[in-house]
Amino acid sequence: MIFSKYHFAAAAAAAGMTFAGSASATVLDDFNSGTIITDFLFNDPTTTALENTLNSAAPLETFDIDADIAGTGTNGLGQYDVSAKNNTEFGSNYVDFAGISSGRVIGLFDIAYSFDELIYDPAQDEEMRLTFIQFDPRSTFVTAEIFFTRTAADEFSLVGNGVGTGSSDTPTVVFGDKGDILTMIDVNLDTDTFELFYSTNDGANFTSVGTGTLDPTRGIESVRLVINEDYSDDEMLIDRFAVSHIVPEPASLALFGLAGLGMLRRRA
């Protein structure tokens, strides 16, 4: 049984908490310092469908409707319960926002899960993803994503996935058949790189999975929540699904431009 857990990241943002003792905790600080443009905390009434949940950052920007996740809903404890999904369809749910082509975009995906080890079909690996999409909703042009996949009866793998020309993934990390994992993907559209982090103690400390590279032609115009395969024999809860945009300070932009100019001169 998975019990409700406290929305640590949201509380930390409200209290202005930082974690100077952790080398990687600055990704959460950076997330909180940016403009949060999508933030689903799932504090809605029990059985609220995904498309009716509140985006506390931009109330008018909600998930679109996907019939493949019909029957799933909030549990009244601040979580979205995926466990009622009893089909093997690829549930894709999108939230759009104004196009972003520069700065850093940080995605936060907080889940808790428990798989039944006795029920596993390798042809139908359960998947959960937070995906940054290049175009408005219903596009499949992935820029980068947090990608969880059940890879064995007792294994759940995590990778940062980059898609397109010149892109590369992060290394993969493997967890057990149950866990409580806060993940963050830090996408830098100015350097065409990204880094994936995870925390197993609600953000007190983070571990870097590694870095990847982006297709330099891709930006971000929407975020997608993927709920793939049948979860009816398992438990899968989403605690928070959020996106923050960090715009470089003018001074930083100037230094970035000077650095680029210097590189051009050296090449000349």
Side-chain angles (χ1 to χ4, degrees):
M1 177 68 181
I2 300 177
F3 297 96
S4 172
K5 70 192 184 71
Y6 182 60
H7 286 306
F8 182 85
M17 294 172 61
T18 59
F19 305 96
S22 173
S24 299
T26 53
V27 67
L28 182 56
D29 299 334
D30 289 351
F31 174 92
N32 291 328
S33 71
T35 299
I36 299 179
I37 55 178
T38 296
D39 197 0
F40 291 88
L41 295 169
F42 305 115
N43 290 322
D44 314 86
T46 305
T47 69
T48 300
L50 189 65
E51 64 270 17
N52 294 323
T53 56
L54 175 67
N55 181 350
S56 60
L60 297 179
E61 301 297 342
T62 56
F63 282 103
D64 63 2
I65 297 174
D66 189 330
D68 294 336
I69 65 164
T72 64
T74 54
N75 62 5
L77 300 172
Q79 298 163 313
Y80 195 84
D81 190 351
V82 176
S83 309
K85 186 175 185 297
N86 61 1
N87 60 66
T88 58
E89 301 303 317
F90 192 88
S92 295
N93 312 272
Y94 295 78
V95 181
D96 64 338
F97 40 72
I100 301 172
S101 59
S102 63
R104 291 163 61 197
V105 183
I106 302 178
L108 185 155
F109 193 28
D110 195 357
I111 65 171
Y113 67 96
S114 179
F115 293 121
D116 185 341
E117 289 187 24
L118 300 179
I119 302 176
Y120 173 66
D121 183 348
Q124 297 178 352
D125 290 332
E126 291 98 323
E127 294 178 358
M128 296 289 292
R129 309 186 200 180
L130 179 155
T131 309
F132 289 131
I133 300 290
Q134 181 180 4
F135 301 118
D136 284 338
R138 294 301 167 189
S139 163
T140 58
F141 281 78
V142 173
T143 299
E145 63 185 351
I146 298 169
F147 195 150
F148 280 105
T149 311
R150 189 182 184 191
T151 47
D154 59 351
E155 290 185 355
F156 201 39
S157 68
L158 168 66
V159 67
N161 184 33
V163 181
T165 303
S167 66
S168 65
D169 298 344
T170 70
T172 299
V173 61
V174 177
F175 301 97
D177 63 344
K178 59 179 61 66
D180 186 343
I181 306 171
L182 169 61
T183 52
M184 304 190 76
I185 188 167
D186 187 350
V187 174
N188 191 321
L189 295 172
D190 297 322
T191 61
D192 299 319
T193 59
F194 67 96
E195 186 168 6
L196 178 63
F197 302 87
Y198 72 89
S199 171
T200 55
N201 55 12
D202 290 340
N205 303 96
F206 280 89
T207 299
S208 173
V209 176
T211 60
T213 55
L214 305 174
D215 179 337
T217 68
R218 297 192 179 188
I220 300 171
E221 292 188 9
S222 65
V223 61
R224 178 181 69 173
L225 170 61
V226 170
I227 305 171
N228 189 28
E229 296 297 347
D230 185 342
Y231 286 87
S232 58
D233 296 308
D234 306 305
E235 290 185 272
M236 176 63 73
L237 303 172
I238 305 173
D239 275 86
R240 192 180 183 192
F241 184 91
V243 178
S244 177
H245 182 208
I246 302 171
V247 180
E249 296 292 336
S252 300
L253 287 172
L255 289 173
F256 186 80
L258 287 173
L261 181 60
M263 290 178 64
L264 288 174
R265 287 175 175 172
R266 284 196 296 273
R267 288 174 181 173

